[in-house]
Amino acid sequence: MERETMCIQAGYTPQNGESRMIPIIQSTTFKYDTSEDMGKLFDLEAEGYFYTRLQNPTNDMVAAKICALEGGTAGMLTSSGQAANFFSVFNIATCGDHVVCASTIYGGTFNLFNVTMRKMGIDFTFVDPDCSDEELKNAFKPNTKAVFGETIANPALVVFDIERFANAAHAHGVPLIVDNTFATPINCRPIEWGADIVTHSTTKYMDGHDATVGGAIIDGGKFDWMAHADKFPGLTTPDDSYHGITYAEKFGLGGAFITKCTAQLMRDFGSIQAPMNAYFLNLGLESLAVRMPRHCENAQKVAEFLQGHEKVAWVTYPGLPGDKYYERAKKYMPNGTCGVISFGLKGGRAAAEAFMKKLKVAMIATHVADAHTCILHPANSTHRQLTDEELIAGGVGPDLIRLSVGIENVKDIIADLEQALASIQ
């Protein structure tokens, strides 16, 4: 099926007389006739459910839809995009291990890696996504377990060279993990370019309506864990906490990563997405293929307007000819990138604050990538925990304004920006 059809049809096929919509299985527990039947579930010998803290049928149906959209082999939902990124790395990297990561990732993810996970004993080397081949090669260590990047960086809008980083990761025997939140599988499927694991904050475009927080992890099913068995003992040696199962042997390339992530991490951390949230997420997914082209079309027009305004100092949008990442975006996302624009005003931080106070259509909100047009000054909000040096390294200057263009009539969006800009002295 084409992606537009998958948004509607994938993940759940109702049988004769069954609900057209994915059913909400709002239950913590599931009943079985015998202890032996339940025991098979705990031994991973049979498919089924016993406790929603690990898995839930509603969640799995929605995860299957996202998995189909990404072209993966297995998927799972998490309580947030932050949980998805944490699980994706912690599933293969533990105390004493190392990860190579693009420096331009979202501030919250940067803090998760650079602060919280360092406390857990995992080391990270952050590299400029446009670094030289030599610099990239030197970032790897004998204990490196993964490479991580974002398809389109939030909010720097750096387009990640997926193929290049995938080749580097595979040359060192480790997988590439790509956060595909901004592009969504409508505009880019990282697995087709060599990525091994894809994550999402489903809170953004996938939900699309400010309704639910959530995340997803999709396995591409191509990375050969057993070929690098010494690097990934958690997948290639018996798991004593789960009856001695060796995930890579029992579930193969297509299922080992997600099964371990569910059986181990979701079991122990319980960062499950609520079934009701998964239901709302599915409603958003059904219109994703319709909304994304509108986001991109509106953002293109808004970016062109800002680029030509006398009070705007600079504009970053990968869809603009002449943008640093224009050609790379055409390679990986020929049908459009996202609806997010970064720009700065000639008056700097003070002008940004004055400008944002005058907006009427665009709302000041920490959210991004949904039907409403939203605006934010990251240095004072989502990235305020970073030092000036870290802000610059992440491509988020103190004057940067992040504008998430919604699906309203673009004439109203531009008129709102125009009157706000006119108010700046």
Side-chain angles (χ1 to χ4, degrees), residues 411-425:
K411 294 179 181 178
D412 293 325
I413 299 171
I414 291 175
D416 187 38
L417 296 173
E418 195 165 29
Q419 64 83 22
L421 286 166
S423 69
I424 302 174
Q425 300 300 321

Side-chain angles (χ1 to χ4, degrees), residues 319-393:
L320 286 174
D323 184 90
K324 182 178 180 180
Y325 299 102
Y326 178 78
E327 294 300 329
R328 191 179 296 171
K330 286 297 183 184
K331 172 182 176 179
Y332 292 116
M333 293 160 275
N335 296 320
T337 54
C338 65
V340 182
I341 301 167
S342 292
F343 67 99
L345 301 180
K346 292 181 179 178
R349 183 181 293 224
E353 293 172 353
F355 161 76
M356 290 171 66
K357 289 178 182 178
K358 296 294 183 179
L359 293 168
K360 299 175 181 178
V361 173
M363 68 171 94
I364 298 175
T366 56
H367 203 231
V368 67
D370 68 73
H372 297 83
T373 294
C374 306
I375 196 162
L376 195 70
H377 187 213
N380 275 336
S381 52
T382 55
H383 289 64
R384 68 182 298 125
Q385 75 274 19
L386 304 183
T387 65
D388 286 347
E389 290 75 16
E390 289 171 337
L391 283 170
I392 294 170

Side-chain angles (χ1 to χ4, degrees), residues 153 155-157 306 314-317 340-344 400-403:
L157 302 183
L306 290 171
W314 58 270
V315 180
T316 296
Y317 184 66
V340 182
I341 301 167
S342 292
F343 67 99
L400 185 148
I401 298 171
R402 184 185 71 184
L403 176 64

